[in-house]
Amino acid sequence: GQQLNQSPQSMFIQEGEDVSMNCTSSSIFNTWLWYKQDPGEGPVLLIALYKAGELTSNGRLTAQFGITRKDSFLNISASIPSDVGIYFCAGTTAGGTSYGKLTFGQGTILTVHP
Amino acid sequence: EAGVVQSPRYKIIEKKQPVAFWCNPISGHNTLYWYLQNLGQGPELLIRYENEEAVDDSQLPKDRFSAERLKGVDSTLKIQPAELGDSAVYLCASSLGVWGTLPDNEQFFGPGTRLTVL
């Protein structure tokens, strides 16, 4: 089963507001990834993090790899209607046949009101 | 460049019937993944292929699920017989490989096949 706890489960915000979501794990991951999934589509990679403490931005998105390697957060600034979707965190571990295996959180559903 | 192609997009079957899903990965991608996504959950890996070899199938319920990737390109995932609990979205993804960092190991997902078992 999945090991990542993602929160909040859903968010309803006004256009222009900032959004923050996070992901915690009972296990250490060596890579953290954030994906966005639109209805009827597969997840699309937004940001990848490879080092503990790393802070990475992609446009209005900023994500951080927690120092303990057991958590990560994603911020979206100045939200717009096209930010609507489901955001997933995912982590990978190293070693053996599980190398690169993605473990996903349960997702955060984001709704943006114009 | 075409992305990951999956078919069919939707499938409705009665329980105990067989069903098959097809995936064509991005050209040149050696690694192919099948994921199961239940409603309200993130994807869960079923099986990973490196070329034609299944290198991680620990999460594949082998009593009813099978997969193949002949010639190391297209792949088929089969369920026989289907059960009510198999209703979900089945996602296929591909990557150049699994080692190292982006872009080599970035997984690109197809749109999925939504299966409904009645």
Side-chain angles (χ1 to χ4, degrees):
Chain A
Q2 295 181 3
Q3 306 169 32
L4 299 185
N5 293 310
Q6 195 170 341
S7 65
Q9 287 188 317
S10 61
M11 303 182 73
F12 298 84
I13 62 170
Q14 292 293 127
E15 183 177 359
E17 290 183 354
D18 296 345
V19 172
S20 183
M21 59 191 77
N22 65 69
C23 200
T24 60
S25 170
S26 57
S27 304
I28 290 174
F29 288 99
N30 67 326
T31 303
W32 282 93
L33 306 165
W34 286 91
Y35 287 83
K36 179 175 184 272
Q37 186 173 26
D38 292 327
E41 300 296 330
V44 175
L45 182 65
L46 298 173
I47 289 181
L49 303 155
Y50 295 101
K51 293 172 55 178
E54 178 181 359
L55 185 71
T56 297
S57 294
N58 179 8
R60 294 179 295 105
L61 278 60
T62 301
Q64 184 160 27
F65 191 144
I67 290 291
T68 64
R69 293 180 172 266
K70 292 184 177 181
D71 61 342
S72 177
F73 73 75
L74 175 70
N75 285 342
I76 305 173
S77 62
S79 59
I80 58 178
S82 62
D83 290 334
V84 166
I86 305 176
Y87 291 79
F88 290 100
C89 62
T92 68
T93 55
T97 58
S98 295
Y99 190 96
K101 177 180 178 179
L102 286 176
T103 299
F104 283 84
Q106 67 269 50
T108 294
I109 302 171
L110 179 63
T111 303
V112 180
H113 294 288
Chain B
E1 181 181 339
V4 176
V5 179
Q6 291 189 247
S7 69
R9 292 294 309 274
Y10 305 91
K11 189 73 176 179
I12 300 175
I13 61 171
E14 294 188 345
K15 63 181 180 181
K16 300 184 181 180
Q17 294 299 305
V19 64
F21 315 123
W22 176 81
C23 173
N24 182 240
I26 292 173
S27 178
H29 280 195
N30 299 318
T31 307
L32 183 146
Y33 313 76
W34 282 103
Y35 287 87
L36 165 70
Q37 185 174 24
N38 287 305
L39 186 64
Q41 299 294 321
E44 298 177 58
L45 181 69
L46 289 173
I47 188 168
R48 184 186 95 206
Y49 282 92
E50 289 182 16
N51 298 303
E52 64 275 8
E53 182 182 0
V55 296
D56 185 357
D57 63 355
S58 57
Q59 300 298 106
L60 190 72
K62 298 181 183 62
D63 57 336
R64 297 183 300 108
F65 286 65
S66 64
E68 61 183 11
R69 192 185 184 197
L70 301 176
K71 302 180 181 179
V73 181
D74 296 2
S75 178
T76 303
L77 178 69
K78 298 178 181 178
I79 308 174
Q80 182 171 7
E83 298 179 351
L84 295 176
D86 296 332
S87 295
V89 174
Y90 292 83
L91 293 165
C92 179
S94 70
S95 65
L96 282 171
V98 296
W99 307 101
T101 59
L102 294 177
D104 290 346
N105 65 355
E106 179 177 353
Q107 295 184 29
F108 294 85
F109 286 82
T113 296
R114 181 176 295 277
L115 174 67
T116 301
V117 182
L118 303 176

